[in-house]
Amino acid sequence: MSDYQTLKVLGEYHLALGDTLKAIECFEGAMELNNESSEPLLGLAAVSIFAGDHDGALSLYMKAAAMEKSARAHAGIGLVLAEQGKHDESFTHFLTALSINPVDKVALNCLLQQGYSTERVEEILPAFARALEEDETDTAVRFSYATCLFSTNRKDESIAEFNKILRLDPEHKATKEVLTHIAA
């Protein structure tokens, strides 16, 4: 493992432990060794989020997105913008993240929240359909997709998706509960 990789991993380790000063030191050291990678910037952005500095995090995520096409950077931008109440802009960045990586869990989960909170559920359906094209066995994504279909009055399609979940995982408790509720 190169010194750059070691510093990056150590930065993530220290951040996970809550030692932001050590994390910053490691991410800055990684940047000195490789100033063409956005990864250390993303690490520093995570430190900023941890410290409650949303403006600093947004700036770092923006720099990272400008350096490299990155789902993680756009998901980060979206998270910060959502936190700042800029829902339309955050929605766009989550979609951008998913255009780069259709199965990015952060972007999918945040897009789901934004879709419901801004009453734009219909608009998020294609993102979940694309994610399922990438991994048709992901029951969490399929469950979200099915609930979105149901909430947009596409009951038959929703039930078909719930049934696919049960074929993948016959003991999927939440799906069983929803189907029982729908049948009532």
Side-chain angles (χ1 to χ4, degrees), residues 1 4 14 19 30 45 47-48 56 69 73 75 81 94 105 111-112 149-150 167 174 176:
M1 184 182 291
Y4 163 75
H14 288 296
D19 187 348
V47 171
S48 294
K69 190 174 179 179
L81 292 172
F94 294 135
K105 296 295 187 203
L111 186 64
L112 183 65
L149 287 168
F150 190 80
R167 282 194 292 281
K176 286 180 175 183

Side-chain angles (χ1 to χ4, degrees), residues 10-157:
L10 282 173
E12 292 166 4
Y13 171 76
H14 288 296
L15 180 59
L17 292 178
D19 187 348
T20 55
L21 294 177
K22 273 291 211 195
I24 290 169
E25 183 181 306
C26 291
F27 289 130
E28 286 178 346
M31 282 176 48
E32 288 176 19
L33 293 173
N34 183 352
N35 62 5
E36 294 180 21
S37 173
S38 66
E39 290 295 318
L41 286 172
L42 294 171
L44 289 171
V47 171
S48 294
I49 291 285
F50 187 83
D53 178 9
H54 292 109
D55 291 334
L58 183 60
S59 174
L60 290 162
Y61 281 128
M62 295 278 210
K63 285 179 188 174
M67 282 181 82
E68 287 182 59
K69 190 174 179 179
S70 164
R72 193 169 150 207
H74 283 284
I77 293 167
L79 276 168
V80 174
L81 292 172
E83 188 68 29
Q84 294 175 337
K86 298 174 183 171
H87 300 292
D88 288 336
E89 290 176 68
S90 72
F91 196 91
T92 300
H93 281 282
F94 294 135
L95 289 175
T96 300
L98 291 168
S99 73
I100 298 166
N101 178 5
V103 294
D104 184 285
K105 296 295 187 203
V106 171
L108 281 169
N109 288 328
C110 291
L111 186 64
L112 183 65
Q113 290 175 340
Q114 288 294 305
Y116 278 108
S117 68
T118 61
E119 298 180 7
R120 296 171 70 178
V121 176
E122 188 75 40
E123 292 177 58
I124 69 174
L125 288 170
F128 281 86
R130 269 191 310 279
L132 288 170
E133 288 171 7
E134 294 288 320
D135 182 1
E136 62 185 36
T137 64
D138 190 328
T139 57
V141 171
R142 191 168 300 281
F143 187 86
S144 295
Y145 183 56
T147 58
C148 289
L149 287 168
F150 190 80
S151 74
T152 58
N153 297 316
R154 293 163 70 176
K155 184 178 177 180
D156 292 341
E157 290 173 76

